[in-house]
Amino acid sequence: MDSNFLWPMLAMFLGSLVVMFGFLKKINEWYYVGRLGEKKNSLPPGEMGWPLLGNMLSLIKAFRSSDPDSFIHCLVDRYGRTGVYKSHLFWSPSIVVCTPETCKHVLMDNEKFGRGNPESTKELLGKQTVSLSTEEHKRLRKLTTNPFRGDKALTMYVGYIEDIVIDMLDELGSINKPVVFLFEMRKLAFKVIGHIVFGTTSDHLLELMEKYYTDLLLGLRSPAINIPGFAFHGALKARKLLVKLLEEVLEERKKRSGIEQKKGQKGMIDLLLEAEDENGKKLEDVHIIDLLIINLLAGHESSAHASMWAVLYLNQHPEMLQKAKQEQEEIIKRRPSTQKGLTLEEIKQMDYLAKV
């Protein structure tokens, strides 16, 4: 083919692609922003991404990378450090908020900002509990947090947590090959939260639940496509298995609640079964199961990540590690010779470690 003809054709083709992609990138902007009229002028900077997908591909790519904050960093680089950006996430027009002050305002103002979750989250964590009205949510929150407030509740678990952390560190210290530290922290956190929830530890039960939660977590971070082979489909199957497992545990606890009370072995599941509001109304089983799924997920996942980042940052800043160790050594020096193990009062004295 004549090169004089080929190059213009190639240029036209590339030009058409640029125009087509530019047009596609504007569809969401025209559809969601254009119809707001004058109100669109009050929107923060940002862009609405591709039709249907929005900016989900960029978000998923960032979360699966070694730098999940890169999604926010890209917004800051492109639009400045405004702290508020418009976007299109989870198949819906969205506002991304990323400064502490604005986040606090959004989370605390229940009048202007209602609670909302993507459909995939509702499906996986339980529509009965996630989609409650504000008043019902307050009632449920009061019912479920009262038994775990105060020093008495925390004191019950300090010794147990100390024991399993020491065991875990001893075990890791004996391994002569690299480990995935986040996975180890997840196991540790799951063992702790499992004990708090069930009152006792069954390795078989916790291993099963940890496996199901791994699949559930993958689905929460994936598009809601319920087709075999997709993470969301696997997560739905994992939720069904989790619900079945928790139903069995719930029924077992109801049958032997009197024995457990005599032994003093109570977990969250026992306290939720006993909980009553001011009108004597108890929680339904479906709410208890959804709450257990949410608490087990949130409790072990957030604790694991916090522990991992704390260790990582201390390793990167030896001067801070030294200050944290010095604080611990001073607390131990003040400890009575007859005392064995950590106490809640000692934890309260760890001011520097709390900042870490």
Side-chain angles (χ1 to χ4, degrees):
M1 187 179 288
D2 188 354
S3 61
N4 291 330
F5 178 73
L6 179 63
W7 287 112
M9 286 291 292
L10 185 60
M12 287 175 63
F13 176 71
L14 292 174
S16 299
L17 283 178
V18 170
V19 171
M20 184 180 71
F21 281 116
F23 174 77
L24 288 173
K25 287 278 280 186
K26 285 292 182 183
I27 288 178
N28 270 3
E29 190 84 19
W30 292 332
Y31 182 75
Y32 291 109
V33 178
R35 63 182 181 174
L36 291 176
E38 292 184 3
K39 288 183 179 179
K40 68 182 180 183
N41 298 323
S42 61
L43 288 176
E47 56 111 7
M48 305 299 288
W50 300 99
L52 300 178
L53 291 172
N55 297 305
M56 276 303 293
L57 294 179
S58 300
L59 182 71
I60 292 169
K61 182 181 176 183
F63 267 83
R64 288 183 173 174
S65 74
S66 58
D67 182 18
D69 288 337
S70 60
F71 181 79
I72 299 295
H73 294 159
C74 286
L75 292 173
V76 173
D77 291 342
R78 290 182 65 181
Y79 304 108
R81 199 173 290 277
T82 62
V84 185
Y85 308 93
K86 70 172 181 277
S87 187
H88 191 284
L89 300 168
F90 298 100
W91 297 270
S92 176
S94 309
I95 297 294
V96 177
V97 178
C98 52
T99 58
E101 299 79 13
T102 317
C103 286
K104 184 177 180 181
H105 177 68
V106 170
L107 293 170
M108 297 296 288
D109 191 341
N110 292 324
E111 297 298 322
K112 293 180 181 176
F113 300 99
R115 294 183 309 110
N117 289 284
E119 280 302 314
S120 58
T121 304
K122 293 176 186 176
E123 288 279 350
L124 295 176
L125 297 186
K127 285 188 175 182
Q128 293 274 9
T129 303
V130 174
S131 304
L132 291 173
S133 66
T134 302
E135 286 306 310
E136 186 65 11
H137 176 70
K138 286 180 180 177
R139 172 186 162 270
L140 206 57
R141 182 177 175 82
K142 187 177 178 182
L143 265 176
T144 55
T145 55
N146 279 346
F148 302 97
R149 283 181 177 166
D151 291 355
K152 185 179 178 182
L154 291 171
T155 304
M156 289 166 57
Y157 304 113
V158 171
Y160 173 78
I161 295 170
E162 183 181 18
D163 288 342
I164 69 161
V165 170
I166 291 170
D167 289 344
M168 189 270 304
L169 290 174
D170 287 341
E171 185 182 333
L172 289 179
S174 65
I175 297 174
N176 295 319
K177 61 181 180 179
V179 296
V180 181
F181 193 66
L182 177 60
F183 291 174
E184 299 302 325
M185 289 297 98
R186 276 181 181 155
K187 289 178 185 175
L188 171 67
F190 204 88
K191 198 166 186 180
V192 171
I193 198 76
H195 177 77
I196 291 170
V197 167
F198 300 113
T200 57
T201 51
S202 162
D203 288 340
H204 176 66
L205 177 66
L206 292 180
E207 283 172 13
L208 269 179
M209 297 193 76
E210 190 180 357
K211 179 183 180 300
Y212 298 153
Y213 267 102
T214 300
D215 293 337
L216 188 71
L217 191 63
L218 288 171
L220 283 171
R221 295 172 177 171
S222 302
I225 303 172
N226 190 14
I227 299 174
F230 284 85
F232 182 73
H233 179 78
L236 281 175
K237 288 175 68 176
R239 174 182 163 78
K240 288 177 183 176
L241 292 168
L242 263 176
V243 168
K244 186 173 182 295
L245 192 63
L246 289 171
E247 283 174 344
E248 291 171 1
V249 173
L250 208 58
E251 285 306 311
E252 183 189 355
R253 283 307 170 97
K254 286 178 182 178
K255 289 175 184 175
R256 58 179 186 143
S257 58
I259 300 170
E260 293 295 321
Q261 284 174 15
K262 286 176 186 176
K263 289 183 179 178
Q265 298 173 337
K266 283 190 180 182
M268 179 189 285
I269 194 166
D270 303 297
L271 296 172
L272 291 176
L273 282 167
E274 295 171 4
E276 293 181 353
D277 63 15
E278 56 273 15
N279 299 317
K281 187 178 178 183
K282 291 196 170 190
L283 289 167
E284 296 177 24
D285 285 2
V286 65
H287 285 152
I288 292 176
I289 288 170
D290 283 353
L291 285 166
L292 290 173
I293 289 174
I294 292 169
N295 281 307
L296 279 162
L297 179 69
H300 93 279
E301 188 66 16
S302 56
S303 300
H305 279 270
S307 302
M308 179 199 70
W309 284 110
V311 171
L312 186 68
Y313 285 136
L314 284 172
N315 186 57
Q316 292 172 350
H317 299 276
E319 72 284 359
M320 294 181 182
L321 175 59
Q322 186 55 40
K323 285 181 72 174
K325 284 177 69 177
Q326 186 179 344
E327 182 180 64
Q328 301 297 302
E329 288 163 358
E330 288 172 358
I331 290 170
I332 290 172
K333 283 178 186 176
R334 295 194 294 268
R335 179 181 286 178
S337 57
T338 54
Q339 181 182 321
K340 292 182 179 179
L342 195 63
T343 67
L344 187 61
E345 288 304 314
E346 289 176 334
I347 293 173
K348 289 179 178 179
Q349 295 170 27
M350 300 175 189
D351 295 330
Y352 187 77
L353 194 66
K355 292 170 185 173
V356 170

